[in-house]
Amino acid sequence: MPPQPPSPVPDFIYGTAWKEDRTPALTELALRMGFRGIDTANQRRHYFEEGVGQGLAAAYRSGLVTRDDLFLQTKFTYQPGQDHRLPYDPAASLSVQVAQSMASSLDHLGTDHVDSYVLHGPSSNHDWTDTDAEVWEAMRNERDAGHTRLLGVSNVSLRHMQQMEAARVELPTFVQNRCYARLGWDRAVRQFCREHKIVYQGFSLLTANHEVLQHPLIASLTSASLVASANATPAQVVFSFARTIGILPLTGTSNAEHMKQDLASHEVKLPSDAVHAIESLAG
Ligand SMILES: NC(=O)c1ccc[n+]([C@@H]2O[C@H](COP(=O)([O-])OP(=O)(O)OC[C@H]3O[C@@H](n4cnc5c(N)ncnc54)[C@H](OP(=O)(O)O)[C@@H]3O)[C@@H](O)[C@H]2O)c1
């Protein structure tokens, strides 16, 4: 089956990692506040995917949203990234593990398809290996079976992406990476993505960049002239900057006010010289 045209991708994604018992309520709250993109993983160690499904079900029940309003993204995680709570039989082949993990995700999320299925990380920090090639093919089969619309990879280097390209395999629609300001906000991978029309999703934009949030440049950009109603917050400046340079941001906030502020970062328009300055602030 040829790749399906991209379904609408929201311009902010709510991340559900590390929320444990609060996952259902926070997922529902994020939808109530206006998020329409939800990121999770079938990795019980860091995510409670079933709890995300409970939050979605509550939002459907109350008439807040329907499944079609949402962009749901989950991940396949290799065994070394998991604890004992595996969503597959570790003795099965990798392609069976992918199929089992996907079936379990669909069950957790109460849907017959997700919008994006992401390889949580390659099997090696250095290379795109035969193991990854086998899993990627299994993920493509899941896509062709209609269980996901789109595919992604996460925690990848430029080298991984170049090796994928050299192997002439289908490139992903999404890359999801931790975005360090000191690495030029992952400049090399972002550049590859731009050249190959891959959507770059950035996480830990705040938590990986404390020094940026406290930088005088960011403080100077929070002035009232940037937003109609109030001063921008440093977090809003960072999210606005990220979007301006082509990053689709994730936020994992557990705070309703922060959710509101993060979504309102659309209103923050940064002058282009400020964008260049932030981009080269620390890398
Ligand atoms: N692919 C991967 O390997 C991977 C790895 C890590 C994360 N992720 C995904 O990315 C999502 C986001 O992770 P993250 O590391 O970016 O964020 P995060 O660590 O989940 O949360 C952001 C942190 O910043 C704080 N914060 C303060 N002001 C904020 C504001 N205005 N807006 C947002 N946060 C504010 C939050 O505190 P408050 O709660 O008090 O606001 C929270 O402690 C995860 O939930 C997960 O879905 C993926």
Side-chain angles (χ1 to χ4, degrees):
M1 189 196 287
Q4 297 171 28
S7 53
V9 179
D11 60 8
F12 221 135
I13 296 182
Y14 183 69
T16 59
W18 310 300
K19 304 199 165 37
E20 289 299 324
D21 291 354
R22 299 179 70 203
T23 303
L26 286 169
T27 300
E28 191 185 358
L29 178 65
L31 296 174
R32 198 167 294 287
M33 300 310 284
F35 287 94
R36 292 295 176 265
I38 300 288
D39 177 83
T40 185
N42 208 342
Q43 181 201 34
R44 190 60 191 87
R45 181 178 175 183
H46 294 304
Y47 297 79
F48 179 24
E49 193 183 49
E50 200 174 353
V52 173
Q54 291 164 9
L56 296 176
Y60 300 151
R61 268 197 309 276
S62 66
L64 182 64
V65 288
T66 68
R67 169 66 186 90
D68 288 346
D69 296 327
L70 302 182
F71 175 88
L72 299 181
Q73 174 167 274
T74 190
K75 311 185 191 85
F76 173 79
T77 311
Y78 285 117
Q79 196 182 348
Q82 304 269 11
D83 60 18
H84 61 285
R85 294 165 291 180
L86 292 170
Y88 45 70
D89 173 3
S93 69
L94 284 167
S95 34
V96 170
Q97 288 182 23
V98 169
Q100 290 178 345
S101 192
M102 173 60 102
S104 158
S105 287
L106 297 180
D107 185 45
H108 287 161
L109 297 171
T111 184
D112 62 359
H113 73 281
V114 291
D115 297 284
S116 167
Y117 199 44
V118 174
L119 175 58
H120 210 151
S123 59
S124 148
N125 286 337
H126 300 289
D127 291 309
W128 180 258
T129 63
D130 290 347
T131 300
D132 301 317
E134 183 181 343
V135 164
W136 191 238
E137 190 182 341
M139 290 174 63
R140 287 180 49 210
N141 290 339
E142 292 299 316
R143 191 270 315 279
D144 292 349
H147 297 154
T148 181
R149 289 186 205 280
L150 303 165
L151 296 172
V153 292
S154 182
N155 298 301
V156 288
S157 63
L158 176 62
R159 184 178 160 91
H160 285 125
M161 297 310 297
Q162 288 172 333
Q163 288 178 341
M164 262 188 114
E165 185 181 27
R168 296 181 179 280
V169 291
E170 180 182 329
L171 290 175
T173 297
F174 301 107
V175 160
Q176 184 185 101
N177 267 6
R178 181 167 275 121
C179 213
Y180 289 104
R182 66 173 180 275
L183 300 178
W185 306 86
D186 208 9
R187 187 179 282 117
V189 175
R190 286 192 295 111
Q191 165 97 13
F192 182 96
C193 290
R194 206 166 29 247
E195 288 165 5
H196 294 82
K197 299 195 173 9
I198 295 168
V199 177
Y200 181 98
Q201 300 181 9
F203 62 86
S204 299
L205 284 159
L206 305 182
T207 48
N209 301 308
H210 287 296
E211 76 286 5
V212 169
L213 288 164
Q214 279 151 21
H215 196 281
L217 171 66
I218 301 295
S220 73
L221 290 166
T222 57
S223 67
S225 59
L226 296 168
V227 271
S229 51
N231 283 2
T233 67
Q236 285 178 319
V237 170
V238 169
F239 287 131
S240 170
F241 156 75
R243 215 176 275 111
T244 307
I245 64 167
I247 295 173
L248 168 54
L250 286 99
T251 175
T253 180
S254 299
N255 176 302
E257 192 55 34
H258 287 164
M259 289 182 189
K260 209 188 295 175
Q261 289 173 357
D262 293 355
L263 288 167
S265 64
H266 288 282
E267 295 165 32
V268 179
K269 304 287 180 226
L270 299 171
S272 57
D273 57 339
V275 173
H276 294 311
I278 300 173
E279 195 171 5
S280 47
L281 201 59

